[in-house]
Amino acid sequence: MRVTTDLWVSALLRRVFSAGGFAAVVKRGATEAGAVFVLARGRMGEIALFGPAPQTSYDSAKPDDRFFSLLGAGDDAAVFDARLEREKKFDTDIWVVEIEAGVVPVEELISVKSL
């Protein structure tokens, strides 16, 4: 049985805060199974957007894990805001979580798969 998105996001927020970072839910989506997008901000202004990894990234032995892929990185917030607006129009049930990870790399907080 897969953990609800609401519970998974709550756990992510706790992991970020316990690592000395900051996190906030920018958009709350479907409680049970909304897709999660993570907007990671660095302390020097860099931004990275992570979204759900393609289905081919999942291991059939562990189908309940959540994997993410890097959708883009840079320092222009408008580009990422526009991408998230397009995603919201496509699927109104998405979650957007913004984090500033602190001293822990984002890859230690979420499972990132290379495309």
Side-chain angles (χ1 to χ4, degrees), residues 2 5 11 13 16 31 39 57 65 67-68 90 96 99 109 115:
R2 188 173 191 165
T5 303
L13 297 178
V16 172
T31 301
L39 191 61
S57 301
D65 291 346
F67 294 113
F68 294 85
F90 177 73
V96 179
I99 65 173
L109 299 169
L115 294 177

Side-chain angles (χ1 to χ4, degrees), residues 2-82:
R2 188 173 191 165
V3 173
T4 65
T5 303
D6 187 41
L7 182 61
W8 189 89
V9 168
S10 295
L12 174 62
L13 297 178
R14 286 180 180 263
R15 285 193 307 270
V16 172
F17 285 125
S18 69
F22 175 78
V25 175
V26 176
K27 182 188 181 306
R28 185 178 173 86
T31 301
E32 296 297 320
V36 179
F37 290 83
V38 177
L39 191 61
R41 293 186 183 270
R43 296 188 185 219
M44 302 305 285
E46 64 277 6
I47 304 168
L49 178 62
F50 297 89
Q55 291 296 320
T56 56
S57 301
Y58 287 83
D59 182 359
S60 60
K62 296 188 277 183
D64 297 335
D65 291 346
R66 286 187 190 264
F67 294 113
F68 294 85
S69 54
L70 179 64
L71 301 177
D75 59 2
D76 187 1
V79 171
F80 300 109
D81 291 340

